[in-house]
Amino acid sequence: MDKELKKTLGFSAALSTVVGLVIGSGVFFKPQAIYTATNGAPGLGIMAWIIGGVITITAGLTAAEISAAIPKTGGMMVYIDEIYGPKLGFLTGWMQTVLFFPGTSAALAVIFAKQVVELFGSDSSNMAFVLPVAIGVILLLAILNNIGSSFGGSIQTIATIGKMLPLILIIIFGFIRGNSTSLFSPMVGPGTTTGSALGQVLIATLFAYDGWINVGAIAGEMKNPGTDLPKAIVGGLSIVMAVYLAINVAYLWVAPASDLAMATSPATLVATKLFGSIGGKIITVGILISVFGTLNGYLLTGPRIPYTLARQGLIPGSNALSKVNKGGSPSNALWLIAILACLYALSGQFNLLTDLTIFAVWVFYVLTFIGVIKLRKDKPDLYRPYKVPLYPIIPAIAIIGGLFVIINQLLTATMIALGGIIITLIGLPVYLVMKKDK
C-alpha cells in the first residue's frame, strides 16, 4: 500500500530514475519526422528539441505537485478523478486503455519491425515483412510478461545498456569525425513556414520526452521530496535535453537534415556513415534492444490502467479484466492492451500512431496542470510535501505550451486530432452504461 512505501530514495536515485524513464525510442527515430516537417532544414528541428525540453521540464515540475499531494496508485487517472470528478477520471483511464498504451506499443512494434527488416537487407516499406514481425514482438512480450513481472525488470536493465551505448558512440564519434555545419540556418526549407511546421516538430519531440508523468510516482518513496524532487526533475530532464541536443548535433554533423528526413532510422544512417556497414548493424542491434525494452515497459505498466478500472467495475468485462494470474500479472488486462496494440499495428505507421497518442495524452496533461491551480484554490490546506517553484509562472508555461500543441494539431492535423477525440469520447456512453448497471 502507498502508506507503507519506505522513504529510501535520495537525490541521485531520483535523478537516474528520471533519465531512465524518459530516454527511449524517440531520439533514434523522430529526427526523420522533424526534418520532414522542416522540409530538410536543420534550424527549427534543433529549436524544437530545446522548446520541447523546456515545456517538458515545466510540465514535470507542475505535475509533481499533484503526484506528491495525491500519492495513490493509478497515476494521472487518479489525479484527474480527485480534481475534476469520477467521469473525467474514467475518461483519462479509458483514453490510456484504448488509445495511449496500445497505440504507443503498436508504434514501437512497427518501428522495431522496420529496423529488423532493414537489418536483414529487406525493404522496410514492405508491410508483408513488417507487420508479422510487429505483431509477433507484441505477442512475444505479452506472453513473457504473463509469466511474471520479474522478467520485465531484467529486460529493462538490458535495454538501458542498449539505448545508452548507441547514444554515447554516435555523440563521441559524430563530434570527432563529423564536419561542422550550420545548425540554425535555414530554419525551414522552401515552401514551408516556421508557424506551420512548429506544431508538427513539437509533437515529435514531445514523444521523445514523454515518460515524465511517471516521475512524480516516486515522491512517496523519497526521503526529502520537497527539495530533492524538483532538483531531480530539472536535473534529470536537463540531462535528457542535453543528450538529445548533443545527439542531434552529431546527426547533423555527419548527415544533412535532408538525408535524415529520408531515413527510417536516422541513427542507423549516421552510424553506418561513422562505422561502416558492420558498425552500423551493431549500433542498430543496440537500438533494437532499446526499443524492445521500451515496448516491454509499456506492456508492463499499461495493463494496470484497465485492471484498476475493472476493479471498480467501470469497463465491460470487468470480472475477467480484474483477475490476476499466479505470476502476479493482470493477465486479461495485459491481453486487452496487446490485442488492441496488434490492431493499431496493422496501420504500419510509426509517426501517425505517435502523433495520435501524444495529442490525446497531452489534452489530459494540460488538465493536470490546470488541476494544480484548481487544487490550490479548492484545497488550500491540503498537505503538499512539494510545491511547484515560481508558482504560477511554471504551471502557466506548461499550460500554454500544451495548449499550443493541442490547438496546432487541431488546425494542421485535424483528422488525427479528431480521431483521438472520438476514441476518447466513446468512453462517455460506456461510463454511463456501466454506472447504470452498477
Side-chain angles (χ1 to χ4, degrees):
M1 291 181 62
D2 294 333
K3 290 179 181 177
E4 294 169 359
L5 291 172
K6 294 181 179 178
K7 295 183 179 293
T8 56
L9 295 181
F11 170 71
S12 59
L15 184 75
S16 61
T17 302
V18 173
V19 175
L21 282 169
V22 175
I23 295 179
S25 61
V27 68
F28 299 119
F29 303 106
K30 277 301 177 181
Q32 188 236 5
I34 289 167
Y35 297 120
T36 299
T38 65
N39 201 8
L44 187 61
I46 290 293
M47 289 300 299
W49 289 106
I50 298 170
I51 298 168
V54 170
I55 292 172
T56 302
I57 289 170
T58 59
L61 285 170
T62 303
E65 177 169 316
I66 289 183
S67 299
I70 310 172
K72 295 180 182 178
T73 304
M76 184 167 61
M77 176 175 66
V78 173
Y79 311 151
I80 298 286
D81 188 313
E82 290 264 345
I83 298 164
Y84 299 102
K87 191 180 292 183
L88 209 49
F90 170 82
L91 274 187
T92 309
W94 172 265
M95 178 276 300
Q96 291 175 305
T97 297
V98 301
L99 179 55
F100 179 73
F101 279 105
T104 305
S105 299
L108 293 168
V110 166
I111 204 68
F112 177 90
K114 287 186 175 184
Q115 285 295 281
V116 169
V117 167
E118 283 189 3
L119 189 64
F120 287 98
S122 297
D123 183 4
S124 64
S125 64
N126 188 337
M127 289 298 114
F129 294 134
V130 170
L131 293 182
V133 177
I135 292 169
V137 73
I138 292 169
L139 295 177
L140 171 65
L141 280 170
I143 291 167
L144 292 173
N145 275 293
N146 255 312
I147 295 169
S149 56
S150 59
F151 171 80
S154 304
I155 285 290
Q156 294 311 113
T157 303
I158 297 168
T160 300
I161 299 167
K163 69 187 173 189
M164 293 312 294
L165 197 60
L167 286 169
I168 292 166
L169 290 173
I170 291 172
I171 290 170
I172 292 171
F173 287 94
F175 280 104
I176 293 171
R177 298 182 182 178
N179 299 311
S180 179
T181 57
S182 174
L183 299 174
F184 294 99
S185 179
M187 285 293 283
V188 291
T192 305
T193 63
T194 300
S196 64
L198 183 57
Q200 289 174 273
V201 295
L202 278 180
I203 276 281
T205 56
L206 290 175
F207 172 77
Y209 282 112
D210 200 45
W212 58 265
I213 191 70
N214 301 308
V215 171
I218 62 173
E221 297 169 75
M222 293 183 68
K223 296 173 187 173
N224 192 359
T227 56
D228 286 350
L229 187 60
K231 287 180 187 175
I233 292 169
V234 173
L237 290 175
S238 296
I239 290 169
V240 172
M241 187 162 70
V243 169
Y244 284 1
L245 283 171
I247 190 85
N248 278 277
V249 169
Y251 288 159
L252 290 169
W253 276 15
V254 176
S258 54
D259 285 1
L260 298 174
M262 301 298 290
T264 306
S265 172
T268 299
L269 170 71
V270 170
T272 304
K273 285 179 178 287
L274 285 173
F275 309 115
S277 178
I278 300 299
K281 288 184 186 299
I282 292 169
I283 294 294
T284 300
V285 170
I287 294 168
L288 282 170
I289 293 169
S290 173
V291 178
F292 190 80
T294 306
L295 174 55
N296 178 70
Y298 275 90
L299 289 175
L300 183 69
T301 56
R304 271 65 186 172
I305 302 298
Y307 169 76
T308 302
L309 291 175
R311 287 288 300 270
Q312 298 167 1
L314 290 176
I315 53 175
S318 288
N319 286 339
L321 293 171
S322 61
K323 288 181 178 173
V324 176
N325 66 12
K326 291 179 181 178
S329 172
S331 179
N332 294 329
L334 172 56
W335 281 114
L336 172 66
I337 298 290
I339 291 165
L340 288 173
C342 289
L343 293 174
Y344 280 116
L346 292 175
S347 69
Q349 299 292 316
F350 172 67
N351 288 319
L352 184 146
L353 287 170
T354 55
D355 287 357
L356 179 67
T357 58
I358 288 298
F359 168 81
V361 82
W362 265 86
V363 171
F364 290 91
Y365 286 165
V366 170
L367 283 173
T368 304
F369 309 149
I370 295 169
V372 171
I373 298 169
K374 187 176 186 300
L375 209 57
R376 288 251 186 141
K377 291 181 178 177
D378 294 349
K379 298 182 179 179
D381 298 325
L382 179 69
Y383 174 61
R384 293 172 174 84
Y386 157 77
K387 288 186 177 182
V388 58
L390 299 177
Y391 179 89
I393 297 169
I394 296 292
I397 295 170
I399 292 165
I400 292 165
L403 284 175
F404 172 80
V405 170
I406 292 165
I407 293 167
N408 189 277
Q409 278 290 96
L410 279 167
L411 296 175
T412 62
T414 307
M415 293 309 294
I416 293 174
L418 286 177
I421 292 168
I422 290 167
I423 292 170
T424 302
L425 289 180
I426 288 171
L428 271 180
V430 173
Y431 175 79
L432 294 173
V433 169
M434 295 304 294
K435 268 298 208 184
K436 189 177 180 182
D437 287 348
K438 281 185 74 178

